Amino acid sequence: MTATATSVDEPDQLEPQARPLSRGARLARGLVPAAAAALSGVLLYVSFPPRTLWWLALPAFAGFAWCLRGRSWKAALGLGYVFGLGFLLPLLVWTGVEVGPGPWLALVVIEAVFVALTAVGIAAVSKLPGSPFWAAALWVAAEAARARAPFGGFPWGKIAFGQADGVFLPLAAVGGTPVLGFAVVLCGFGLYEVVRQAVEGRRTGAVRRGPAVAALLALLLPLAGALAARPLVSDKAENGTATVAVIQGNVPRAGLDFNAQRRAVLDHHVRETERLAAEVRAGKVARPDFVLWPENSSDIDPFGNPDAYAVIDGAAKAIGAPISVGAVVERNGRLYNEQILWDPEKGPGATYDKRQVQPFGEYLPMRSLIGAINGEWTSMVHQDFSRGSEPGVFRMAGTKVGLATCYEAAFDWAVRDTVTHGAQLISVPSNNATFDRSEMTYQQLAMSRIRAVEHSRTVTVPVTSGVSAVIMPDGRITRHTGMFVADSLVQEVPLRSSETPATRFGIAPEMLLVLVAAGGLGWAAAAAVRGRRAGDL
């Protein structure tokens, strides 16, 4: 027995040892995935408006998948954070246009954490059968979390919002932004799997049928789904038409002090409305059934300032149609970002108070802490806005107009419930004057295009300084203004009342994908436990 035993001291019985990597090789080995993650993140940013390179999202996620496959949780966390920075740093640079880099960098640092944690989950499921499906569901689950926390959430940068010009757009009518985003991410991860399977098959001389079929399905199913969903997209009138006027009055100056000169912004919008009224009387332009002004189009409270009340009332009488007026209103010591339905005969009537107010823009969370860090920031938001509680649907000349004010367009629920409350047309009154000529206005315009298809409604976007637009229910922009010009858009638009699957299903598709993501993580965790037990035996 002892004569046949193997001694671990005999060198001819030892396994050959791998040669240690040099310091430079180890550095390169770590830098290449990090560089690829950063580049993939930048590629994803480039796929967003104002560019129409929507298809770049696919190689962006394919590159991200390559970075994460089989990584440890620590490596995935770091690579995910780098990917998030590459994407969000340039995407959100507009948040620091007027207030400096501090808030911009703080926002990106926080938001990139969501991407980093998502990457850990994607790495965990990367070895499971059908990994692209689990990974895409995890991405949507992370977007769902990011849209809700912290401080009410920040959905900016949802993958769906980069797809207004893409082939996947009809999927917005199927399940809203979660389904649209899921399809894009799935297709990107599927692209990586197809390439990986092809390379592996070429190296080994054999293709594993099951994984190859799963990879092809991940790549092709989103495209097939988008093609099948096209009949849901229509710009046909169901309830007749309405002639709508969108007013862009412009502002005296860009920046945070766009409204520093008393009543100047209001006078700009009154002047543009009266100019349009003169063209209507001259027969040059069709008479609008109703008129839509932007958010903050009245820079002073018309209920507390008789002069503001008088000029708005005069504008409504001049155009001979009801106007939705955006104003900052003080009521019982509280500030509201309000839309006011102003009738040419009866004056002000119904109101809508913005419900999703913007943190650090319209209210300041942790005010005492922020003030201790930088007192200037508290002076920028000297009084918090209060939130409204009811959805806004104005009946204007017989048309039900749903209202989602500016920032609210990024939130699925804030747009959807205007439609479930009867809106035949959606208006997104906005004020982008504080962001100068940045990409922000184009990113927000793309959101409105997605909402148009999601709910099959005409969407109007009246903006103080541009870009204002009229969007058909199929997502096409038919009329738009330039930036920082006074202008008006008048167009006959279709009215619709049918509900898309996305409208009917509401939050259900998103919650289903969250459950799928949880199932994938559970499977990956169970597989890891089984692997550890097998290693211990």
Side-chain angles (χ1 to χ4, degrees), residues 226-475:
L227 183 64
R230 290 182 66 181
L232 295 173
V233 181
S234 173
D235 65 351
K236 303 299 182 185
E238 295 176 334
N239 309 112
T241 62
T243 301
V244 58
V246 172
I247 300 297
Q248 178 176 302
N250 202 12
V251 296
R253 60 178 67 85
L256 293 174
D257 61 346
F258 73 96
N259 60 351
Q261 184 179 346
R262 185 185 187 278
R263 225 185 74 180
V265 178
L266 172 57
D267 287 346
H268 276 58
H269 286 81
V270 168
R271 188 180 305 119
E272 183 59 27
T273 304
E274 290 175 341
R275 185 195 66 79
L276 176 62
E279 290 192 343
V280 169
R281 288 192 297 271
K284 297 178 180 179
V285 180
R287 181 176 296 280
D289 296 310
F290 52 89
V291 180
L292 302 170
W293 281 11
E295 175 189 36
N296 301 153
S297 47
S298 179
D299 47 2
I300 56 176
D301 184 352
F303 298 117
N305 294 272
D307 57 329
Y309 187 108
V311 295
I312 295 171
D313 202 54
K317 285 179 167 57
I319 196 67
I323 304 176
S324 179
V325 177
V328 175
V329 172
E330 185 171 358
R331 189 166 54 249
N332 299 323
R334 295 174 175 265
L335 282 182
Y336 294 92
N337 187 335
E338 190 165 87
Q339 289 287 313
I340 307 165
L341 177 55
W342 209 288
D343 187 84
E345 301 297 330
K346 301 176 183 177
T351 60
Y352 168 64
D353 297 322
K354 187 176 182 179
R355 293 170 292 166
Q356 187 72 41
V357 295
Q358 183 182 348
F360 304 100
E362 293 173 307
Y363 80 98
L364 199 60
M366 304 180 299
R367 180 175 288 273
S368 58
L369 176 61
I370 296 295
I373 296 171
N374 189 329
E376 292 184 4
W377 292 348
T378 59
S379 65
M380 293 177 187
V381 187
H382 65 275
Q383 183 178 349
D384 292 342
F385 278 81
S386 296
R387 305 170 189 268
S389 58
E390 299 294 329
V393 180
F394 286 170
R395 183 175 288 276
M396 305 182 73
T399 298
K400 293 182 179 179
V401 179
L403 299 165
T405 304
C406 196
Y407 186 56
E408 291 182 323
F411 292 83
D412 296 345
W413 65 268
V415 182
R416 176 180 177 266
D417 70 359
T418 68
V419 180
T420 57
H421 281 77
Q424 300 165 298
L425 176 150
I426 300 169
S427 184
V428 184
S430 303
N431 173 25
N432 299 337
T434 52
F435 303 111
D436 207 349
R437 297 182 180 274
S438 69
E439 293 182 356
M440 182 270 186
T441 189
Y442 299 102
Q443 293 171 8
Q444 190 177 53
L445 185 60
M447 293 178 192
S448 295
R449 294 179 64 189
I450 300 298
R451 300 307 183 191
V453 175
E454 181 179 12
H455 300 293
S456 195
R457 295 292 188 272
T458 298
V459 177
T460 60
V461 187
V463 185
T464 51
S465 56
V467 174
S468 298
V470 177
I471 305 167
M472 291 292 103
D474 59 6

Side-chain angles (χ1 to χ4, degrees), residues 136-175:
L138 279 165
W139 187 274
V140 173
E143 287 190 338
R146 199 160 65 85
R148 292 166 173 81
F151 312 126
F154 187 74
W156 222 276
K158 270 190 169 186
I159 299 306
F161 296 150
Q163 297 295 310
D165 293 291
V167 298
F168 300 101
L169 179 61
L171 289 169
V174 176

Side-chain angles (χ1 to χ4, degrees), residues 108-164:
V108 171
V109 164
I110 293 170
E111 294 297 313
V113 170
F114 288 91
V115 182
L117 294 174
T118 308
V120 173
I122 291 172
V125 302
S126 64
K127 295 294 185 69
L128 295 181
S131 60
F133 295 89
W134 308 113
L138 279 165
W139 187 274
V140 173
E143 287 190 338
R146 199 160 65 85
R148 292 166 173 81
F151 312 126
F154 187 74
W156 222 276
K158 270 190 169 186
I159 299 306
F161 296 150
Q163 297 295 310

